[in-house]
Amino acid sequence: MSTEKKTRYRRTKADITEDIRKAAVDQVMKRGFSASLVTEIIKKAKIEPPVFYHRYKNIDEFYSEFVKGCDYWFSDIADKAMKGSDNPKEQFLALMEGLQEALKEKSVMHELLRWEIAEGNDTTKRTATLREMFTLPLADKYNALFADTGIDFVALASLLIGGLYYLHLHRERSTFCNIDMEKEEGTQRIEKAIKTFTNIIFSFLERRDTKQDVAERMRAKGIDEQTIKECLLI
């Protein structure tokens, strides 16, 4: 009777790293970052504790590396929005719609945002700060675009973005203003509101450009600056 030795599958270092990552995703989605246990990640990844601790000093060091692969979502959305059109209004609308679409999906990013709000540690501070640094060029762009309109575009946009964050992070707890983000009707209302918000805000830009065009025509007719200001209230 012949016997064959079963060949044992040997995982590469890359395989083990990926198994640890998948195990962490599983734990974070079930428990959140703060309640996830390194012992459960080790068990799920089917490794011995020394294998984990050879790579990472502790769970905090692991999370510091782990979240780097989860936090490119906003830059990806922004990059797609900026490349999709040269029109600033269309770019902003695509950015907000992309953010809304991304937040609809339950993800590690959801848990990272919750963790940032709930706890202040080196990892959450770093991820929040890096995301903020990425948005600064966009903020500068729109600040310059809305100069002389009397509208603080970035402050208004921050209210919209913050509102989207809260609506989605809160949706499993309760409705908000009777809007149920767990239902398609609720998300459609918010998507319609995003378009309305964008149209209203950019109407101030369009109004300014129209006034400037009229002012130039009046100057060409020889009308003095004081009269132009009085007529256009600029």
Side-chain angles (χ1 to χ4, degrees), residues 154-165:
V154 172
L156 291 168
S158 71
L159 290 174
L160 175 59
I161 294 168
L164 288 175
Y165 281 174

Side-chain angles (χ1 to χ4, degrees), residues 59-68 123 126:
I59 189 69
D60 292 331
E61 185 173 283
F62 168 69
Y63 278 159
S64 184
E65 288 298 313
F66 174 65
V67 297
K68 290 177 183 178
T123 301
R126 192 192 76 245

Side-chain angles (χ1 to χ4, degrees), residues 90-171:
E90 292 175 359
Q91 288 177 341
F92 179 76
L93 181 59
L95 180 59
M96 293 301 101
E97 289 178 335
L99 178 60
Q100 157 70 2
E101 193 63 29
L103 289 171
K104 282 166 67 175
E105 301 298 324
K106 294 180 181 179
S107 66
V108 173
M109 195 59 225
H110 267 213
E111 298 306 322
L112 179 57
L113 290 172
R114 284 196 180 100
W115 193 34
E116 286 177 3
I117 293 168
E119 291 186 33
N121 56 52
D122 290 343
T123 301
T124 57
K125 288 177 182 177
R126 192 192 76 245
T127 56
T129 300
L130 288 175
R131 201 177 308 116
E132 171 68 6
M133 288 175 65
F134 172 79
T135 64
L136 290 179
L138 281 174
D140 290 343
K141 170 184 174 177
Y142 283 104
N143 269 331
L145 187 65
F146 277 79
D148 304 322
T149 62
I151 296 297
D152 190 340
F153 179 89
V154 172
L156 291 168
S158 71
L159 290 174
L160 175 59
I161 294 168
L164 288 175
Y165 281 174
Y166 184 79
L167 283 169
H168 284 282
L169 296 177
H170 180 269
R171 71 190 187 204

Side-chain angles (χ1 to χ4, degrees), residues 73-85:
W73 65 292
F74 193 86
S75 59
D76 291 341
I77 293 168
D79 187 56
K80 185 177 179 181
M82 295 303 124
K83 288 180 178 178
S85 172

Side-chain angles (χ1 to χ4, degrees), residues 169-182:
L169 296 177
H170 180 269
R171 71 190 187 204
E172 294 176 9
R173 304 292 178 264
S174 170
T175 58
F176 188 80
C177 293
N178 207 33
I179 296 175
D180 190 346
M181 296 299 287
E182 291 279 83

Side-chain angles (χ1 to χ4, degrees), residues 88 145-149 202-217 232:
L145 187 65
F146 277 79
D148 304 322
T149 62
F202 275 86
S203 70
F204 286 91
L205 187 63
E206 292 158 3
R207 202 175 304 164
R208 182 201 65 183
D209 292 344
T210 299
K211 283 185 176 182
Q212 288 177 346
D213 184 54
V214 172
E216 287 300 318
R217 292 187 201 176
L232 300 180

